[in-house]
Amino acid sequence: MNCDSSSTLYSADAHRLSWSIPALIAQRHADGGLASIPSQTLRTTLQPVLDGLGDIDAVSLLRLRLTDQDGAVVGGGRQVEPIHRQITPPSDDNTVRYLHLSEIPGQYSMGIFVFPPYARIPLHDHPGMCVLSRVLYGSLHRRSLDLAREDEENNDGSNSPTSATSHKNSSWISSHFMWRNKHATETTPSYPWGSKRAFENRVDILTAPDTTILYPHEGNLHEFAAGP
């Protein structure tokens, strides 16, 4: 399949899912960003969108072929043939492909990541964003981390030059993240410039049709690895 056919298929769902976003965006501009909105308010506002993602029929959306053996789970006791080799132009079996679906600059962007078996998206963050995800078929191993907020709010520059400003302007896929256990008691070492401390939020397996959401200060740093 190609990006154009996916976008056409998905247009109705994209329109339906965007209905509850504008009010939140207006509040974001008024209050200084999604990071300034309490997580519970974000959960309540975005729950209808997350429910909408859960209602999507992945078989129809991706035109998946049902199979009786060696397929990827899609929910409802069904298995399907994966599509990673159908995307054009072709690529190797370790490349995660991205199909862009819809976007309103400054409000939201929507797309589909297609994982070959065991492929992964490395550790990255989404500064100041909420990210809603749905597993359309198969399974993903997820590891998520919380960035240490005191590094952003009370940074004095003694151990790291990272500040709230540099965090806000960091790239979508960031590097030099250092993980430390919440209960560690040793003296904080001096890390390379740009390093940020993070605490493990969760490690779990997401299986179709699971949905998930991350917030500006909860699970905002994560990585994914596809199952077989």
Side-chain angles (χ1 to χ4, degrees):
M1 85 185 321
N2 57 44
C3 186
D4 290 338
S5 64
S6 296
S7 300
T8 300
L9 247 176
Y10 203 74
S11 59
D13 290 301
H15 178 75
R16 179 169 59 89
L17 292 177
S18 66
W19 69 268
S20 66
I21 294 177
L24 186 65
I25 298 304
Q27 184 174 357
R28 184 193 73 172
H29 288 300
D31 298 345
L34 291 180
S36 67
I37 301 175
S39 294
Q40 187 55 53
T41 300
L42 294 173
R43 288 189 183 91
T44 301
T45 304
L46 293 173
Q47 189 60 50
V49 185
L50 198 65
D51 293 341
L53 285 175
D55 291 339
I56 291 173
D57 183 352
V59 174
S60 297
L61 171 66
L62 298 175
R63 299 175 183 171
L64 300 173
R65 297 179 179 177
L66 297 175
T67 182
D68 294 329
Q69 55 184 355
D70 299 327
V73 296
V74 73
R78 300 173 297 172
Q79 297 185 68
V80 296
E81 297 178 1
I83 64 168
H84 59 279
R85 291 179 177 170
Q86 301 176 33
I87 298 174
T88 57
S91 184
D92 63 74
D93 284 344
N94 294 317
T95 300
V96 178
R97 310 297 294 273
Y98 177 72
L99 308 178
H100 185 69
L101 301 179
S102 177
E103 180 175 8
I104 296 179
Q107 295 192 16
Y108 73 88
S109 178
M110 186 181 301
I112 298 174
F113 288 97
V114 182
F115 290 73
Y118 304 112
R120 64 191 305 118
I121 293 179
L123 201 62
H124 64 279
D125 68 338
H126 301 265
M129 302 179 194
C130 292
V131 179
L132 296 82
S133 303
R134 154 77 189 271
V135 182
L136 295 172
Y137 67 78
S139 62
L140 286 173
H141 179 275
R142 173 183 61 175
R143 180 188 182 210
S144 61
L145 309 173
D146 298 338
L147 287 173
R149 296 185 64 178
E150 64 270 18
D151 287 353
E152 304 173 38
E153 298 169 356
N154 301 309
N155 177 60
D156 60 7
S158 59
N159 291 308
S160 171
T162 302
S163 66
T165 300
S166 63
H167 170 65
K168 179 180 178 181
N169 295 328
S170 62
S171 62
W172 184 68
I173 297 182
S174 302
S175 59
H176 302 302
F177 284 92
M178 309 298 292
W179 175 84
R180 295 183 64 218
N181 189 287
K182 288 183 180 181
H183 306 294
T185 57
E186 67 271 23
T187 302
T188 302
S190 178
Y191 295 129
W193 190 93
S195 298
K196 299 175 185 177
R197 295 182 304 135
F199 306 122
E200 189 168 77
N201 180 293
R202 67 176 63 187
V203 177
D204 55 6
I205 302 293
L206 301 171
T207 302
D210 288 348
T211 59
T212 185
I213 184 171
L214 61 79
Y215 303 95
H217 298 297
E218 295 181 25
N220 195 272
L221 177 64
H222 63 181
E223 62 182 356
F224 293 109

